Amino acid sequence: MNHSAERKKLISLFQFVGMPVLGSAAVCFFVLEARRELRKRKQSQADRIKTNVGVAAVAGAGLRWVLLPGIIAGAQLAHHRKQGLVARLGLPKVLAYPISFLLLDYGNYLWHVLLHRWPLLWRFHNVHHTDLDLDVTTAWRFHLGEVLLGTPFRAGAAWLASAPPGLTVFYEVFYEAATAFHHSNLKLPYGTELLLNKIVVTPRMHGIHHSVVQRETDSNYSILFSCWDRLHRTARLDVPQSTINIGVPAYRDPEELTFRKLMKLPFTETRPWQLPDGKVPYRPERKDVRQLLP
Ligand SMILES: [Zn+2]
């Protein structure tokens, strides 16, 4: 099969198998988070759904027509020519495939760090963080620009990981499902969450990443596996969920966060990290805390 036909087949697989699976997972999280609320909501859910679905519809086109084909193309280049890091090791598939899968996830950790540290990228990622509440619909609130700018990086990561093209699509389903899960406002039983968090990113862990306190936002970048934050010492677990104020301090007015304004937001001047009254949100660090607080 030539590259273009293989790409088409894999994109159809994502569309007609992956998307229904992800849609069902999203509906489950949506129903569950309404029954077991983790953090109190500030804004009308109907308004947020309208905004987030609008932003997601535009980004979804970028995912379908640019990002996914780009990642698969990066993987094809490496896999069929035996290029990239993993291919050089000459490992059997049973080892090479899981390592490629882990590297794809590690690539996304690094990309997320860049989104926060590079001012140009933050302009776009800011759109995601300005949501005043956090739930499963936030998982779709990504500006088209972020999707497009992420394409060369993620295609390069797939190439470096020597990922088989089918594996990138398989990973993408896990990536999207993990994103829906850790953004959800679902209050899991505390003990269950502590156990899960040893392996994957959970709602309490990612909730801290959406705090208005900058040190807390600048932590917990992992997407699927939580080990990357522990490895890089960017994990922050010392914040009780009831005390988290979600959002970006300089963008607190829902009137400024409508669909149209969010689409233009990356092209406006980035405001400093402070509340409208000029105060900078602060919370002392608790270095004694080693696991997520309830
Ligand atoms: Zn972020």
Side-chain angles (χ1 to χ4, degrees), residues 145-255:
E146 180 177 334
V147 176
L148 300 181
L149 289 166
T151 301
F153 185 95
R154 294 191 57 197
W159 183 85
L160 272 174
S162 316
L167 188 81
T168 59
V169 176
F170 184 66
Y171 172 78
E172 196 60 27
V173 174
F174 274 87
Y175 171 93
E176 298 287 346
T179 304
F181 171 61
H182 66 227
H183 282 97
S184 76
N185 197 27
L186 170 61
K187 187 177 189 172
L188 287 169
Y190 183 50
T192 308
E193 178 143 356
L194 287 185
L195 269 178
L196 274 176
N197 188 242
K198 291 190 190 310
I199 303 165
V200 296
V201 180
T202 55
R204 284 177 173 94
M205 182 181 182
H206 198 72
I208 297 170
H209 178 70
H210 278 260
S211 160
V212 291
V213 178
Q214 186 155 28
R215 185 177 50 221
E216 294 166 7
T217 296
D218 291 343
S219 66
N220 300 356
Y221 298 106
S222 300
I223 309 292
L224 173 57
F225 297 115
S226 57
C227 57
W228 312 122
D229 277 305
R230 297 182 209 274
L231 200 70
H232 287 278
R233 298 184 182 276
T234 49
R236 180 165 299 285
L237 310 170
D238 63 346
V239 189
Q241 295 297 307
S242 60
T243 65
I244 298 177
N245 196 358
I246 299 287
V248 180
Y251 303 85
R252 309 305 293 162
D253 180 2
E255 292 299 315

Side-chain angles (χ1 to χ4, degrees), residues 112 115-116 122 125 128-129 142 206 209-210 217 219-221:
H112 193 186
L115 285 169
H116 280 258
W122 172 253
H125 192 53
H128 173 67
H129 275 269
F142 289 99
H206 198 72
H209 178 70
H210 278 260
T217 296
S219 66
N220 300 356
Y221 298 106

Side-chain angles (χ1 to χ4, degrees), residues 3-23:
H3 283 196
S4 157
E6 184 186 41
R7 216 159 34 237
K8 274 190 191 151
K9 195 179 138 200
L10 288 172
I11 291 169
S12 303
L13 200 68
F14 182 80
Q15 238 175 331
F16 298 111
V17 181
M19 291 295 278
V21 170
L22 290 169

Side-chain angles (χ1 to χ4, degrees), residues 32-222:
L32 288 171
E33 70 183 4
R35 288 189 184 179
R36 292 180 54 90
E37 196 177 71
L38 178 60
R39 292 164 296 258
K40 285 212 178 330
R41 293 175 181 278
K42 291 194 286 281
Q43 210 189 337
S44 133
Q45 204 182 358
D47 288 348
R48 286 185 51 256
I49 290 175
K50 215 166 60 184
T51 304
N52 290 353
V53 168
V55 175
V58 181
L63 171 79
R64 165 66 182 82
W65 299 105
V66 182
L67 181 68
L68 208 52
I71 294 173
I72 297 171
Q76 286 177 319
L77 194 66
H79 187 68
H80 297 306
R81 296 187 190 175
K82 302 217 181 313
Q83 295 173 340
L85 292 177
V86 181
R88 281 172 177 260
L89 300 174
L91 296 168
K93 282 180 189 172
V94 66
L95 282 176
Y97 286 16
I99 293 174
S100 291
F101 189 90
L102 280 172
L103 286 179
L104 290 175
D105 197 49
Y106 184 48
N108 281 313
Y109 165 87
L110 295 176
W111 173 243
H112 193 186
V113 173
L114 278 180
L115 285 169
H116 280 258
R117 303 233 171 124
W118 191 1
L120 169 75
L121 296 179
W122 172 253
R123 284 172 173 268
F124 293 94
H125 192 53
N126 190 17
V127 171
H128 173 67
H129 275 269
T130 52
D131 207 350
L132 296 170
D133 288 309
L134 197 60
D135 64 19
V136 72
T137 69
T138 316
W140 309 325
R141 177 183 168 125
F142 289 99
H143 195 279
L144 174 67
E146 180 177 334
V147 176
L148 300 181
L149 289 166
T151 301
F153 185 95
R154 294 191 57 197
W159 183 85
L160 272 174
S162 316
L167 188 81
T168 59
V169 176
F170 184 66
Y171 172 78
E172 196 60 27
V173 174
F174 274 87
Y175 171 93
E176 298 287 346
T179 304
F181 171 61
H182 66 227
H183 282 97
S184 76
N185 197 27
L186 170 61
K187 187 177 189 172
L188 287 169
Y190 183 50
T192 308
E193 178 143 356
L194 287 185
L195 269 178
L196 274 176
N197 188 242
K198 291 190 190 310
I199 303 165
V200 296
V201 180
T202 55
R204 284 177 173 94
M205 182 181 182
H206 198 72
I208 297 170
H209 178 70
H210 278 260
S211 160
V212 291
V213 178
Q214 186 155 28
R215 185 177 50 221
E216 294 166 7
T217 296
D218 291 343
S219 66
N220 300 356
Y221 298 106
S222 300

